Amino acid sequence: MADIQASGQDSVYLKATKEAVFAGLIAFGLFFLVVGFRTDQNINNELVLVQRWGLLAIFVAVAAIGRFIFAAFITPSRERAKLAKSKVSAAARADRRSLKATVSRFGLALLFIYPFLVILILALINFAATGQWAFQSGVQGSLKYVDNFGIQILIYVMLAWGLNIVVGLAGLLDLGYVAFYAVGAYSYALLSTHFGLSFWLLLPMAGIFAAMWGIVLGFPVLRLRGDYLAIVTLAFGEIIRLVLINWTVVTKGTFGVSGIAKATLFGIPFTTGPTGFAATFGLPNSGVYYKIFLYYLILFLALLTAWVTIRLRRMPIGRAWEALREDEIACRSLGINTTTTKLTAFATGAMFGGFAGSFFAARQGFVSPESFVFLESAIILAIVVLGGMGSLIGIAIAAAVMIGGTELLRELEFLKLIFGNDFTPELYRMLLFGLAMIVVMVWKPRGFVGNREPSAFLHERKMISSEFTKEGHG
Amino acid sequence: MVSEVRNNPNAVLRVEHLSMKFGGLVAINDLNFEAKRGDITALIGPNGAGKTTVFNCITGFYKPTEGMLTMTRDNGETYLLERMSDFVITKKAKVARTFQNIRLFSGLTVLENLLVAQHNPLMLSSGYTILGLLGFPTYKKAAADAIEKARFWLEKINLVDRADDPAGDLPYGAQRRLEIARAMCTDPELLCLDEPAAGLNARESAELNQLLLNIRKETGTSIILIEHDMSVVMEISDHVIVLEYGTKISDGTPETVKNDPKVIAAYLGVEDEEVVELIEHAAATGSDDITAAVDLLSTEAIHEIEVTHAEPSAAPLISTPATKAAKAAPAKPATAKAPAKAKTVAKPVDPAIKAGATSNALAAPRGGKPDSLIVIKGIGPVNERKLNEHGIFHFDQIAAWKKADVIAAEAYLAFDGRIAREDWIGQAKKLAKESQIKPAAKKTGGAK
């Protein structure tokens, strides 16, 4: 038995080696002329042939090693996993559920300590490098991680969770979601600069304005479905942006609104003066405090979105949204007013977009129509689709991967070692990003978490496989 | 026809002068009927007769071109359905419906499907979501009640075990039942079922009958159903309305309707020329009365309907071995192919007729339409088929049987002495006579 297994293992490696050699040869054949040689001009304007054997070797090695790893490890392990999966018992399923609960609890805890964790780690790195314990160094260095990663990702998490209500639950394809984000941002920017109203008053107001616009958009598109709905919502997003550009008297057009007041913590402003946050708490002056405050603010707003979504799914209105996604005509036959159901979905989704918008304005201190282009809508929608429509955890993961991923790609300096010094990873990040999306969609066509969690159960909560749920018809 | 609809306080739904036109196509033309409270009313008719259009008008999915649809609720409130939009009809007028092609929320669980149906009361108790969102106890109680109600209906339709499975994962029959339960969760006073038995097997459709009768008994809900399955229609409905080309062609109890020549003609899609032809043929064969000819047609139709739709339990139980025995039985020397009896259209016995046929066997029934032999006590659909295979189609043929014929027939029917014991010949004589004198009489005999 052991013999057979050993020989089985051997044959796997043998096969993998063969495949690797073969893949290497193919790669060599493919790239020999394309990568191995490069025509260039020398200083005398003569055509010269540059030989790049090293680079070619890297290409071939990548292909061969990749093939070897794939054939020797990934394929057998996937087969084993498939075999094991068919044998999981109910107990194992329950285990996995409890594991999932711990993971999400752990994730939540991590989100809460994230800024301090970053500060601590940076301080430790500094300590290791200089041998001097300076907490402040960690505080200063954390700015990038809290702001570029933490806040940026959480804004998109919140936006995607808001859009999830419209697209994931109610099944209404909305390509103009960024319009509500813009409405929220401009509501705060304009009302605070003109009337000096505080952030805490304007935050709910921005949400309400955006919800109103959601209803305004909702009315004309009530009778539209699918592609038609998508086109009209797309147009709506563009109209809002064009109005912001052209209504220069109010919005200052492309110049944007600048000098927007920052948010305050219970009346304590984040300024350098004697009444400022740092002075009040006896801390050295730094811009990081405001960023950390903003981090917790957006974390709170995002969690509010999640909480409301979770609660709403168990309410009749949430079930009506999902029923609407499944079958609108059946909904009407059960006495559900689909008009108000659709409008509430648009309004609720838009409201969270408005909250996020006013937060965005408070964070940036400056808003311009540049921030609300169609690409933003597309990214938010991509996050929702990638995460799995309707799934909060999946969407959060997708937002972290997509936004965090694009931020991370800025840091890919090591690629210069491979591709030479004139390689700028920033230019390729969108390409890599698009490739990653395609890979994920091929691997998981219904998003990271395609299963749907039922809103009520009689005996036990079973996840519903994505093959039964519909995407909605708009 | 117009005056048929009176102001009957018993009527749960009154349809008056209902017309629906799609451009030039008249789907329903001046339809009048009423459904009595607590009754099961069946709406039947050939494909494309406008039955589903009537349903869509009743439930507000179409706005009728003309006409008045009056729904009278148990508490006496009346609603004019043609003026209300679809969801208000369910909400206020308490009319629920199912669909011809099942429309469940396939990605929601069975339980959730039933909870969605209780949307309106739950909306109220959750204070239009706001109180519920804030966690007020009224909603928690209402939600628990809603689940209890769903459980009640799940027990009724036998799906408690599968409550947490997605509705799209259920087998077809269960999906049909779930759709009815979902409609019942809206607390309707009138339940409109669009082909509830479509795609069900015999056992499932018998269960469906029980479910519908149960629903009526326990909740007092009136039911209107569109159905092609005659075992459902004839067994449970109190009142049948037949549509053809958007007009009502018959209205009454199942008994009267199924004997209505117009209905049969409509159902079998008999062309007018064919009817004329049949009448001529009947005249030639001696049934000089024209109605007798039409009758000939109708008997055959009923027979066909009954044979194709007969519920197994309703069919007389004739053990299958008998059939085999009949086939295996050595062909008795066929009695001499005597010249046809007086009234038979003499046609040479066809080779198609099985061996062992009686003397007066026919190659085909006269006028293409055999008599419904099952009217004779002792002949069930199986025996009737066997008789037909052996060229016996009419009462007068049996009536004219001689002793040898009886022996021959008993051989292929695998009976001994039953024909004499049950006096088939006597019965057949009587029926043959009746069919000539008073054609209507034998039709009613065709009922199960």
Side-chain angles (χ1 to χ4, degrees):
Chain A
M1 186 69 199
D3 265 7
I4 295 166
Q5 219 157 31
S7 72
Q9 278 295 337
D10 280 350
S11 73
V12 166
Y13 288 130
L14 200 69
K15 194 167 150 256
T17 319
K18 262 187 209 158
E19 284 184 24
V21 170
F22 202 61
L25 284 175
I26 291 176
F28 181 77
L30 273 177
F31 295 115
F32 174 61
L33 290 174
V34 182
V35 178
F37 295 105
R38 182 172 148 186
T39 52
D40 215 340
Q41 283 175 324
N42 68 4
I43 204 144
N44 302 325
N45 241 359
E46 289 164 338
L47 195 67
V48 290
L49 199 62
V50 184
Q51 297 176 10
R52 300 193 292 181
W53 300 118
L55 193 61
L56 180 64
I58 290 171
F59 270 69
V60 172
V62 165
I65 293 168
R67 184 68 223 174
F68 182 79
I69 290 171
F70 197 81
F73 303 107
I74 295 177
T75 315
S77 83
R78 272 172 77 180
E79 267 160 21
R80 269 199 300 278
K82 211 184 274 176
L83 213 68
K85 203 175 174 183
S86 58
K87 283 191 278 192
V88 256
S89 61
R93 270 217 305 277
D95 266 5
R96 205 181 300 156
R97 245 203 307 280
S98 68
L99 180 78
K100 218 179 108 190
T102 20
V103 164
S104 59
R105 226 169 276 145
F106 180 74
L108 205 60
L110 192 70
L111 280 178
F112 271 104
I113 58 163
Y114 173 74
F116 296 103
L117 201 67
V118 168
I119 291 171
L120 195 67
I121 289 171
L122 288 175
L124 281 175
I125 290 171
N126 188 52
F127 178 68
T130 61
Q132 248 176 348
W133 180 255
F135 191 68
Q136 203 53 38
S137 67
V139 171
Q140 282 310 327
S142 72
L143 193 92
K144 182 175 94 181
Y145 293 99
V146 172
D147 195 20
N148 288 4
F149 286 91
I151 296 176
Q152 188 74 3
I153 290 173
L154 282 174
I155 285 182
Y156 279 93
V157 168
M158 179 167 178
L159 284 170
W161 278 349
L163 182 62
N164 174 48
I165 293 174
V166 185
V167 179
L169 296 186
L172 303 162
L173 185 54
D174 186 352
L175 288 180
Y177 190 66
V178 80
F180 308 121
Y181 189 40
V183 167
Y186 269 85
S187 310
Y188 176 61
L190 294 176
L191 290 177
S192 95
T193 46
H194 288 290
F195 301 103
L197 297 175
S198 102
F199 173 76
W200 294 105
L201 180 69
L202 286 175
L203 179 72
M205 275 175 74
I208 291 167
F209 288 144
M212 269 167 46
W213 278 104
I215 293 171
V216 168
L217 165 67
F219 264 112
V221 302
L222 276 175
R223 297 154 63 88
L224 302 179
R225 304 167 135 252
D227 308 349
Y228 306 97
L229 176 71
I231 290 167
V232 174
T233 52
L234 173 70
F236 179 78
E238 287 303 292
I239 288 170
I240 294 272
R241 192 173 66 87
L242 290 175
V243 167
L244 292 179
I245 290 174
N246 291 303
W247 197 11
T248 44
V249 183
V250 177
T251 63
K252 296 188 189 141
T254 45
F255 295 111
V257 183
S258 54
I260 302 165
K262 288 178 172 179
T264 57
L265 176 69
F266 302 113
I268 305 169
F270 287 90
T271 49
T272 47
T275 54
F277 178 83
T280 315
F281 290 92
L283 294 165
N285 271 328
S286 167
V288 175
Y289 308 130
Y290 185 55
K291 295 297 178 194
I292 292 176
F293 162 73
L294 285 178
Y295 175 84
Y296 282 106
L297 180 59
I298 187 68
L299 182 62
F300 163 75
L301 286 173
L303 291 180
L304 178 78
T305 315
W307 183 79
V308 169
T309 310
I310 291 169
R311 289 298 290 249
L312 281 178
R313 280 198 62 215
R314 294 181 194 153
M315 297 280 136
I317 188 71
R319 286 203 198 101
W321 287 339
E322 292 200 77
L324 191 70
R325 177 191 68 204
E326 299 286 323
D327 194 327
E328 185 176 345
I329 289 175
C331 271
R332 300 179 76 83
S333 85
L334 296 174
I336 296 173
N337 186 344
T338 48
T339 308
T340 51
T341 307
K342 277 186 188 177
L343 288 181
T344 47
F346 270 121
T348 316
M351 183 179 75
F352 291 117
F355 287 154
S358 70
F359 172 84
F360 174 78
R363 175 206 182 200
Q364 303 288 85
F366 167 74
V367 289
S368 81
E370 290 291 290
S371 312
F372 309 108
V373 290
F374 170 68
L375 184 68
E376 293 294 309
S377 284
I379 287 177
I380 300 165
L381 186 66
I383 291 172
V384 174
V385 173
L386 207 62
M389 293 203 274
S391 156
L392 296 181
I393 292 177
I395 289 169
I397 294 170
V401 168
M402 285 195 58
I403 306 305
T406 42
E407 291 297 323
L408 262 185
L409 286 175
R410 287 185 207 274
E411 321 266 320
L412 295 181
E413 292 300 311
F414 69 89
L415 288 178
K416 283 193 176 170
L417 296 177
I418 301 174
F419 296 105
N421 262 330
D422 48 351
F423 179 79
T424 41
E426 288 88 350
L427 297 180
Y428 290 90
R429 68 194 180 108
M430 275 315 198
L431 180 73
L432 291 175
F433 179 70
L435 274 176
M437 264 189 79
I438 291 170
V439 169
V440 171
M441 281 284 109
V442 169
W443 168 57
K444 286 222 155 200
R446 298 296 287 251
F448 288 133
V449 183
N451 291 356
R452 175 181 170 272
E453 195 179 345
S455 65
F457 62 97
L458 209 55
H459 312 296
E460 64 162 328
R461 194 183 290 279
K462 291 184 207 162
M463 296 303 277
I464 293 170
S465 154
S466 56
E467 66 189 285
F468 296 112
T469 49
K470 299 201 172 84
E471 300 95 338
H473 310 283
Chain B
M1 270 229 172
V2 176
S3 58
E4 267 179 75
V5 179
R6 303 163 306 278
N7 250 352
N8 186 348
N10 263 335
V12 64
L13 176 76
R14 234 176 26 245
V15 174
E16 290 160 274
H17 302 292
L18 178 69
S19 293
M20 181 79 216
K21 297 187 178 85
F22 298 103
L25 177 81
V26 182
I28 312 172
N29 189 15
D30 197 31
L31 177 69
N32 296 278
F33 72 86
E34 60 179 35
K36 287 204 191 63
R37 191 174 305 284
D39 264 10
I40 296 180
T41 308
L43 205 56
I44 63 171
N47 288 330
K51 304 180 298 285
T52 302
T53 311
V54 173
F55 260 36
N56 283 339
C57 288
I58 294 172
T59 51
F61 282 84
Y62 292 158
K63 288 277 154 273
T65 322
E66 266 175 61
M68 191 153 100
L69 299 148
T70 320
M71 167 82 194
T72 313
R73 279 189 53 182
D74 291 348
N75 57 13
E77 287 171 20
T78 57
Y79 294 91
L80 293 176
L81 301 183
E82 78 278 4
R83 297 187 188 171
M84 301 162 77
S85 56
D86 43 15
F87 70 92
V88 186
I89 288 176
T90 310
K91 194 174 166 183
K92 298 256 172 66
K94 293 288 172 196
V95 180
R97 74 169 292 179
T98 66
F99 295 89
Q100 195 171 350
N101 42 349
I102 301 175
R103 282 183 173 276
L104 285 172
F105 305 122
S106 59
L108 307 192
T109 65
V110 171
L111 179 72
E112 284 177 304
N113 266 275
L114 299 185
L115 293 179
V116 170
Q118 301 174 51
H119 178 80
N120 289 319
L122 282 177
M123 254 333 230
L124 268 184
S125 60
S126 70
Y128 293 96
T129 312
I130 295 159
L131 296 184
L133 205 58
L134 299 174
F136 271 63
T138 46
Y139 175 66
K140 276 184 191 147
K141 198 183 161 297
D145 288 348
I147 289 181
E148 270 320 297
K149 187 174 178 184
R151 187 202 288 274
F152 170 82
W153 280 106
L154 285 175
E155 276 163 10
K156 276 248 171 303
I157 60 168
N158 232 340
L159 281 179
V160 189
D161 294 340
R162 305 210 59 183
D164 299 322
D165 290 335
D169 201 17
L170 295 180
Y172 193 79
Q175 293 197 9
R176 284 251 173 238
R177 294 204 302 275
L178 179 59
E179 211 189 10
I180 294 172
R182 189 181 67 179
M184 285 309 295
C185 275
T186 62
D187 287 324
E189 290 179 13
L190 177 65
L191 179 62
C192 299
L193 304 173
D194 198 342
E195 299 202 19
L200 301 191
N201 62 31
R203 191 174 56 81
E204 283 172 326
S205 84
E207 279 172 7
L208 176 80
N209 285 356
Q210 273 315 309
L211 175 67
L212 295 184
L213 289 172
N214 246 325
I215 285 174
R216 179 178 56 172
K217 201 170 89 196
E218 288 177 24
T219 64
T221 311
S222 318
I223 297 174
I224 298 187
L225 56 94
I226 293 175
E227 193 48 76
H228 284 300
D229 187 338
M230 286 301 146
S231 72
V232 174
V233 173
M234 294 302 160
E235 195 152 302
I236 65 167
S237 53
D238 306 297
H239 181 188
V240 179
I241 294 151
V242 190
L243 293 186
E244 191 193 16
Y245 298 123
T247 18
K248 185 168 78 173
I249 57 169
S250 187
D251 186 347
T253 60
E255 288 299 304
T256 33
V257 165
K258 88 168 138 188
N259 293 320
D260 191 330
K262 275 199 214 155
V263 175
I264 289 132
Y267 245 83
L268 296 174
V270 176
E271 298 290 325
D272 291 350
E273 304 88 72
E274 264 181 69
V275 176
V276 172
E277 203 174 283
L278 276 166
I279 291 167
E280 279 167 3
H281 210 123
T285 57
S287 8
D288 44 2
D289 194 352
I290 284 172
T291 40
V294 175
D295 186 55
L296 212 63
L297 181 71
S298 51
T299 340
E300 187 268 349
I302 289 167
H303 146 107
E304 194 151 292
I305 289 164
E306 278 172 356
V307 169
T308 46
H309 294 277
E311 219 180 302
S313 60
L317 288 166
I318 287 166
S319 55
T320 34
T323 328
K324 282 181 194 149
K327 293 226 168 100
K332 280 205 170 188
T335 28
K337 286 165 193 167
K341 296 284 173 286
K343 284 185 179 177
T344 358
V345 183
K347 276 183 191 165
V349 174
D350 208 78
I353 297 172
K354 290 199 175 175
T358 45
S359 56
N360 55 355
L362 291 175
R366 289 187 296 264
K369 308 281 168 190
D371 284 349
S372 175
L373 296 178
I374 50 170
V375 176
I376 296 173
K377 226 177 101 215
I379 300 182
V382 176
N383 283 340
E384 188 189 38
R385 203 191 60 230
K386 275 197 239 168
L387 285 168
N388 288 350
E389 281 171 2
H390 289 82
I392 302 295
F393 299 99
H394 300 284
F395 297 131
D396 50 37
Q397 282 177 288
I398 296 176
W401 274 351
K402 297 277 181 310
K403 204 164 183 182
D405 297 331
V406 171
I407 291 165
E410 281 187 339
Y412 64 69
L413 294 174
F415 285 166
D416 10 273
R418 229 178 106 176
I419 294 177
R421 204 164 60 237
E422 287 167 350
D423 189 22
W424 285 16
I425 297 171
Q427 286 186 55
K429 272 183 184 156
K430 226 166 106 195
L431 285 163
K433 220 173 181 179
E434 271 174 16
S435 73
Q436 302 213 349
I437 303 163
K438 214 178 80 201
K442 90 181 164 189
K443 291 190 298 189
T444 39
K448 278 175 279 182

